């Protein structure tokens, strides 16, 4: 009897233990299922957040691109407007000048890189010569306004009329011999000589002589300027001239320096353009008519 009771007790204990294990297993399974569900929810939320972020980024990028395109368009429009205003100012003043100086060759381009909207022009005229002064002021002024005389000209165009001996004014330089040769370009060679603290580099092209002067005291070298001068001549050319003509350049460019001097003959007149830079001079002469 006692033995049966012990067996029964053991059976009840085993059943209890099995029930506990099953409950624990169900609990763990439930917890695992809940964790998976939470992870899925988090994943969906994360996906939605990423989608919203991507959409927001795309909208922002579109707005940025649109803003940049609008800015570029506005800048381009502003630049075109400035160029149009500058061209109109030069054209208006030149048209007025032609009425005052009939028959004189005048440039249609101001040759400037900036400041064209404040371009000012004054002139003097006599029976023997016309002189036109080009400058940039603080504001645009009327042709020959008295205030323009106080501005430094960046270019001066002179016409000497009814000249009997053009060669004395032009100062053309014949090619030199017996001097050190300097290669300026693959097919252009010049000569170099020193005098009075300066070095002179000369080369000739057609009817034109080109002379570049460099100051030894200031440590200047003529070759870089001579190379640029030749390149500008090949790009823009120079006025047609039946007489031998000249270009002289002092190394160094600054406002009011007028270091570039180009002189040539046209009919019975001798023209001379002085400019603060070589490029300005060549651009102006390219548009001469």
């Amino acid at each position: 009897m006692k033995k049966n009771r012990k067996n029964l007790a053991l059976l009840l204990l085993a059943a209890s233990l099995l029930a506990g294990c099953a409950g624990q297993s169900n609990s763990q399974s439930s917890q695992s299922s809940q964790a998976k569900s939470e992870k899925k929810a988090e994943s969906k939320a994360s996906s939605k957040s990423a989608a919203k972020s991507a959409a927001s980024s795309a909208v922002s990028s579109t707005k940025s691109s649109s803003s940049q395109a609008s800015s570029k368009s506005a800048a381009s429009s502003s630049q075109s407007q400035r160029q149009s205003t500058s061209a109109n100012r030069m054209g208006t003043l030149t048209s007025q000048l032609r009425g005052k100086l009939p028959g004189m060759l005048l440039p249609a381009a101001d040759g400037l890189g900036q400041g064209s909207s404040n371009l000012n022009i004054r002139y003097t005229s006599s029976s023997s010569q016309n002189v036109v002064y080009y400058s940039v002021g603080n504001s645009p002024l009327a042709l020959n306004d008295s205030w323009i005389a106080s501005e430094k000209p960046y270019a001066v165009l002179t016409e000497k009329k009814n000249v009997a001996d053009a060669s004395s004014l032009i100062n053309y330089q014949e090619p030199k011999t017996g001097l050190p040769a300097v290669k300026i370009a693959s097919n252009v060679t010049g000569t170099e000589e020193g005098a009075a603290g300066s070095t002179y580099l000369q080369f000739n092209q057609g009817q034109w002589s080109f002379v570049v002067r460099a100051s030894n005291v200031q440590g200047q070298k003529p070759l870089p300027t001579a190379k640029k001068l030749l390149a500008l001549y090949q790009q823009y050319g120079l006025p047609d001239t039946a007489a031998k003509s000249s270009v002289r350049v002092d190394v160094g460019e600054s406002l009011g320096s007028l270091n570039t001097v180009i002189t040539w003959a046209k009919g019975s007149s001798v023209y001379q353009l002085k400019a603060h830079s070589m490029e300005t001079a060549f651009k102006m002469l390219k548009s001469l008519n």
Side-chain angles (χ1 to χ4, degrees):
M1 185 69 175
K2 291 181 179 180
K3 189 175 181 180
N4 290 336
R5 287 178 180 176
K6 286 182 181 180
N7 290 337
L8 181 60
L10 289 172
L11 289 172
L12 289 173
L13 179 61
S16 176
L17 288 173
L18 288 173
C21 290
Q24 184 176 2
S25 176
N26 290 337
S27 175
Q28 289 177 348
S29 177
S30 175
Q31 288 177 358
S32 176
S33 176
Q34 183 178 356
K36 288 181 180 179
S37 178
E38 288 177 354
K39 285 183 179 180
K40 285 182 179 180
E42 287 178 0
S43 177
K44 287 181 180 179
S46 177
S47 297
K48 287 181 180 179
S49 177
K52 286 182 180 180
S53 177
S56 175
S57 177
V59 171
S60 177
S61 177
T62 300
K63 287 182 178 179
S64 177
S65 298
S66 177
S67 176
Q68 289 177 357
S70 178
S71 298
K72 287 180 180 179
S73 178
S76 177
S77 176
S78 176
Q79 183 178 4
S80 297
Q81 186 175 4
R82 286 196 302 270
Q83 290 174 345
S84 177
T85 301
S86 301
N88 288 341
R89 176 137 185 89
M90 181 64 175
T92 298
L93 291 173
T94 302
S95 179
Q96 295 173 6
L97 200 56
R98 291 191 192 283
K100 305 293 184 181
L101 306 173
M104 181 179 180
L105 293 174
L106 295 169
D110 59 28
L112 293 171
Q114 58 184 2
S116 297
S117 58
N118 287 334
L119 169 71
N120 290 319
I121 298 177
R122 69 182 180 91
Y123 71 92
T124 62
S125 181
S126 68
S127 59
S128 61
Q129 70 175 17
N130 297 322
V131 185
V132 183
Y133 301 86
Y134 297 83
S135 60
V136 174
N138 294 323
S139 61
L141 300 172
L143 179 67
N144 243 28
D145 188 288
S146 59
W147 283 99
I148 302 176
S150 63
E151 298 174 354
K152 283 185 177 181
Y154 70 84
V156 179
L157 179 63
T158 302
E159 176 195 17
K160 292 188 179 295
K161 308 174 188 175
N162 303 314
V163 176
D165 182 14
S167 61
S168 62
L169 297 173
I170 293 175
N171 195 27
Y172 171 85
Q173 299 293 307
E174 295 288 348
K176 300 282 194 307
T177 58
L179 294 173
V182 177
K183 189 174 184 179
I184 301 171
S186 59
N187 59 343
V188 179
T189 301
T191 57
E192 189 175 86
E193 66 178 323
S198 298
T199 299
Y200 295 85
L201 178 54
Q202 177 185 333
F203 63 95
N204 293 61
Q205 295 283 286
Q207 293 283 82
W208 294 85
S209 67
F210 299 80
V211 177
V212 176
R213 185 190 74 85
S215 169
N216 297 336
V217 176
Q218 297 181 36
Q220 297 173 341
K221 301 295 181 182
L223 184 56
T225 299
K227 288 183 175 181
K228 183 179 178 181
L229 177 57
L230 176 61
L232 288 169
Y233 169 67
Q234 293 173 339
Q235 179 179 356
Y236 293 101
L238 283 168
D240 292 333
T241 175
K244 293 180 177 180
S245 302
S246 69
V247 179
R248 178 189 169 99
V249 177
D250 286 350
V251 175
E253 298 180 349
S254 61
L255 182 62
S257 63
L258 304 179
N259 282 347
T260 296
V261 182
I262 301 175
T263 313
W264 74 101
K266 183 70 174 179
S268 61
S269 294
V270 171
Y271 284 86
Q272 183 178 83
L273 178 66
K274 295 181 179 180
H276 74 142
S277 83
M278 294 186 293
E279 188 166 5
T280 292
F282 276 89
K283 285 181 177 179
M284 293 180 76
L285 292 182
K286 177 69 175 179
S287 67
L288 203 67
N289 62 71

